[in-house]
Amino acid sequence: MHYDFDQVHNRFHTDSIKWDRTEKLFGDKDILPMWIADMDFRCPLPVIERLISRAEHGIFGYTARSDSYFESFAGWVKRRHHWEIKKEWIRCSPGILTALSIIVQTFTEPEDKVIIQPPVYHPFPGIVQKNNRELVLNPLMLNNGRYEMDYDDLIGKIDPKVKMIILCNPHNPVGRVWTKAELERLGQICAEHDILVVSDEAHFDLIHNGHRHTLFASISEPFALGSITCTAPSKTFNMAGLQMSNIIIPDQQKRAMFTKALDMLHLSLSNTFGIVAAETAYRHGDEWLDQCLAYVGDNLAFLTDFIEAHIKPIKVIQPEGTYLVWLDCRELGMDAKTLEQFFRKQAKVALDEGYKFGKGGEGFTRVNIACPRSVLEEGLQRMASAVHKWVQ
């Protein structure tokens, strides 16, 4: 069937963080929200229909994930990513961030070191530091408009206390889809030093034309046994509010340890509607996702052309994956806080400012383009008008 991604859906009065919290978060109800990473598109129709049907039953007691659920996810991974996983490898948690926190607690000790690669998804530092682990930064390098891993810096920062690296693949916010060769180099370094690779692959289904995603663990059996892969239907199908994630742990001992931690925290059960929605999406969501990716790709082209024509001081870091775009605003000559207030007060758009993503993020901002074209155009027009006044 044909999905109409141009249609604007009113999300007000749904308790949406993105729309209903605008005035509380930014102090202005007229700001256009283009920040938090959820889409302004409706979920696949089969998901909506199945949820309605389930709701009509009227009884929402404790609900288990059946073999059918695990088979649906394993089938999706094989069909879309060419990796054959066993259903017993899969564990579930309410979300990837929940899983990451449990993994840090379970597989490291207080004061152990955990590596991240900034500028990166801003909850990562808190997950490490709030669990009393030492944060080690291995910043990405920006070379000719493309981010790369700094392997020499990584090797130089490894010592016996480094137990884990949290990999972001595809990388949020810079949009890199790491190549197999890049992941192999990272994996070799980590294997040599017995470092657990925890791969956040939340955006693994959202890949732009001309690029191919490689799940870190799919490269080899040693990489699979030395890693934990975190995925979710939330970004793929716009169902973050249903609180479901799938954690792939091929190593039996690691899987048992993670399962024990889930049980201790009483996080083994899942939301009834989350289970129903995720299984339906994994079985019947291909058509919707293919159309969504095409639309977001067109949005990316529209944004790139618009900025090149009308907001020349801002440069687009071309994403290879995700529906998030990293914008280089350094030519505007503003410090981090001034840039943040400029977009909020002058442009009247709410973006995710780069400094929040850590070292190397200053002077950048992140914009969400998973919205109807008319909304994207409105946001870009606001930005263009504000920038023109600034540079005059």
Side-chain angles (χ1 to χ4, degrees):
M1 65 172 294
H2 172 71
Y3 288 94
D4 181 9
F5 294 99
D6 280 321
Q7 184 176 353
V8 177
H9 300 281
N10 183 356
R11 296 185 61 189
F12 286 111
H13 310 299
T14 64
D15 293 322
S16 163
I17 292 175
K18 184 176 184 180
W19 291 91
D20 286 321
R21 294 291 183 93
T22 300
E23 186 171 9
K24 181 177 181 179
L25 291 172
F26 304 107
D28 188 339
K29 61 181 175 61
D30 295 323
I31 287 181
L32 185 65
M34 304 182 74
W35 60 291
I36 196 169
D38 70 7
M39 304 182 187
D40 289 323
F41 307 139
R42 299 185 83 197
C43 291
L45 184 60
V47 172
I48 297 170
E49 292 176 339
R50 182 68 184 91
L51 286 173
I52 292 172
S53 174
R54 181 64 183 86
E56 287 176 342
H57 182 269
I59 300 174
F60 314 115
Y62 297 118
T63 305
R65 294 176 295 272
S66 65
D67 285 346
S68 179
Y69 173 83
F70 293 109
E71 289 165 0
S72 73
F73 175 63
W76 178 267
V77 173
K78 181 177 181 180
R79 188 167 70 251
R80 305 289 300 200
H81 298 280
H82 314 290
W83 185 31
E84 192 159 354
I85 64 174
K86 298 178 180 179
K87 62 185 181 182
E88 58 263 29
W89 293 356
I90 306 165
R91 292 295 180 268
C92 298
S93 85
I96 288 179
L97 293 180
T98 303
L100 289 176
S101 187
I102 293 171
I103 290 166
V104 168
Q105 292 174 14
T106 303
F107 296 97
T108 64
E109 297 293 335
E111 300 182 5
D112 279 348
K113 296 181 179 180
V114 179
I115 296 174
I116 64 171
Q117 297 176 307
V120 72
Y121 188 40
H122 48 78
F124 284 4
I127 287 173
V128 175
Q129 294 173 320
K130 290 177 182 178
N131 282 299
N132 195 28
R133 274 62 171 173
E134 183 176 340
L135 186 68
V136 177
L137 304 182
N138 171 223
L140 301 178
M141 303 181 296
L142 180 57
N143 293 322
N144 299 317
R146 189 169 188 262
Y147 282 88
E148 299 173 350
M149 294 189 200
D150 189 339
Y151 300 109
D152 291 336
D153 178 76
L154 174 62
I155 292 170
K157 289 176 176 174
I158 292 175
D159 63 33
K161 292 184 68 177
V162 174
K163 303 298 183 182
M164 179 182 297
I165 183 169
I166 301 177
L167 171 69
C168 198
N169 180 36
H171 194 283
N172 173 14
V174 308
R176 276 302 316 277
V177 175
W178 303 116
T179 66
K180 183 178 180 182
E182 288 172 311
L183 295 174
E184 286 177 331
R185 179 73 179 112
L186 177 71
Q188 289 164 358
I189 293 170
C190 292
E192 289 170 5
H193 295 88
D194 194 25
I195 297 171
L196 176 65
V197 177
V198 181
S199 191
D200 175 357
E201 311 210 12
H203 297 264
F204 76 138
D205 291 314
L206 302 165
I207 310 301
H208 294 297
N209 282 338
H211 302 280
R212 179 176 177 177
H213 179 71
T214 300
L215 287 112
F216 175 85
S218 72
I219 294 175
S220 69
E221 183 176 2
F223 281 15
L225 295 176
S227 66
I228 296 175
T229 303
C230 302
T231 75
S234 53
K235 304 303 182 194
T236 304
F237 302 110
N238 198 29
M239 52 176 67
L242 293 177
Q243 297 289 284
M244 282 287 295
S245 68
N246 297 297
I247 313 304
I248 306 170
I249 313 177
D251 181 81
Q252 184 176 1
Q253 183 179 5
K254 293 182 180 67
R255 190 166 63 249
M257 292 171 66
F258 182 79
T259 302
K260 181 179 179 181
L262 281 176
D263 291 343
M264 287 176 61
L265 295 168
H266 296 277
L267 291 172
S268 298
L269 291 175
S270 294
N271 178 289
T272 300
F273 291 100
I275 296 171
V276 169
E279 178 173 351
T280 305
Y282 288 132
R283 292 194 182 280
H284 305 290
D286 295 79
E287 185 178 38
W288 181 93
L289 179 58
D290 291 341
Q291 292 182 41
C292 180
L293 288 172
Y295 189 88
V296 171
D298 289 343
N299 269 0
L300 175 59
F302 178 83
L303 172 138
T304 301
D305 291 345
F306 187 99
I307 289 179
E308 288 179 351
H310 304 292
I311 325 179
K312 294 185 183 299
I314 295 179
K315 309 301 179 187
V316 178
I317 304 298
Q318 284 294 319
E320 299 168 352
T322 83
Y323 50 74
L324 308 165
V325 183
W326 192 234
L327 301 178
D328 184 347
C329 307
R330 290 175 294 177
E331 283 189 24
L332 293 174
M334 303 179 194
D335 62 39
K337 286 293 185 178
T338 302
L339 184 65
E340 178 179 57
Q341 292 304 309
F342 171 77
F343 283 122
R344 293 182 185 182
K345 303 294 186 181
Q346 306 304 319
K348 298 285 188 178
V349 292
L351 307 174
D352 264 319
E353 294 309 322
Y355 74 88
K356 297 177 182 177
F357 296 89
K359 184 177 178 61
E362 302 86 353
F364 292 79
T365 194
R366 190 190 77 172
V367 59
N368 179 348
I369 63 170
C371 56
R373 189 76 40 78
S374 60
V375 176
L376 176 60
E377 184 173 10
E378 169 66 21
L380 291 171
Q381 291 285 3
R382 293 185 184 196
M383 293 168 64
S385 177
V387 169
H388 290 165
K389 292 177 182 178
W390 172 262
V391 299
Q392 286 178 354

